[in-house]
Amino acid sequence: MGIVVGDILQLLLNTLLSVQGRALKIATILALVIISNPVWGNSLNTVKKIQESISANLSQGDSKEIIEEYLASANIVYSYDKYSFRYQAVVRENEADCNIESIFLRLFYECAIQIYINLNERGDYKDHEVFQTYSGL
């Protein structure tokens, strides 16, 4: 995205200087925060975006160090499962943009995106899996 946090802050300052009245200033601040929120958040919030990002940044045979550097740079909180030889991460519902087509799923279940980065027997990148999961009562 072409907008950076500095641009947003400058826009906010210019708007506040030009707006008259306290209520209008508060409304302007709230509107700018709502509009700019996706700029500050993690842009990897759909299955497709995560799959594309992993495919673009990791290649078969990449070391654990490269995988961990990628996960850190993508702001993905992960753990390593030494028994399954894979990195795993979950993008929770408040951060995930899930594709929920059923009203039933939307009402009664929470959605998350599960990420597995699988390693081969040498501990190098082999492949990955990214999919939506649902949990509920």
Side-chain angles (χ1 to χ4, degrees):
M1 295 197 167
I3 299 176
V4 294
V5 175
D7 295 335
I8 294 169
L9 294 176
Q10 184 64 43
L11 178 65
L12 176 62
L13 179 62
N14 291 341
T15 305
L16 286 176
L17 293 174
S18 65
V19 173
Q20 302 295 321
R22 182 180 175 140
L24 196 52
K25 286 181 182 180
I26 292 172
T28 303
I29 290 171
L30 288 175
L32 287 171
V33 167
I34 291 169
I35 290 169
S36 65
N37 189 33
V39 174
W40 294 337
N42 187 350
S43 63
L44 297 178
N45 60 355
T46 66
V47 169
K48 182 178 178 182
K49 287 179 185 178
I50 294 168
Q51 286 177 331
E52 289 172 352
S53 177
I54 293 172
S55 295
N57 289 284
L58 295 178
S59 301
Q60 281 192 353
D62 281 348
S63 67
K64 286 183 178 181
E65 292 79 19
I66 292 173
I67 296 168
E68 291 175 4
E69 286 174 13
Y70 161 71
L71 291 168
S73 70
N75 293 322
I76 297 174
V77 178
Y78 65 90
S79 63
Y80 180 73
D81 182 345
K82 65 182 180 181
Y83 301 106
S84 297
F85 305 107
R86 69 182 179 195
Y87 290 91
Q88 51 197 20
V90 176
V91 179
R92 303 264 178 228
E93 184 174 33
N94 59 338
E95 299 170 352
D97 185 10
C98 293
N99 183 19
I100 304 175
E101 296 178 10
S102 166
I103 189 70
F104 178 76
L105 287 175
R106 191 175 298 276
L107 288 175
F108 297 108
Y109 294 90
E110 291 186 3
C111 174
I113 298 174
Q114 183 70 50
I115 304 167
Y116 294 126
I117 297 179
N118 302 307
L119 307 181
N120 61 24
E121 62 280 350
R122 293 183 312 275
D124 298 326
Y125 175 75
K126 180 171 112 180
D127 60 21
H128 63 274
E129 303 169 62
V130 182
F131 52 90
Q132 285 185 183
T133 60
Y134 301 93
S135 61
L137 297 175

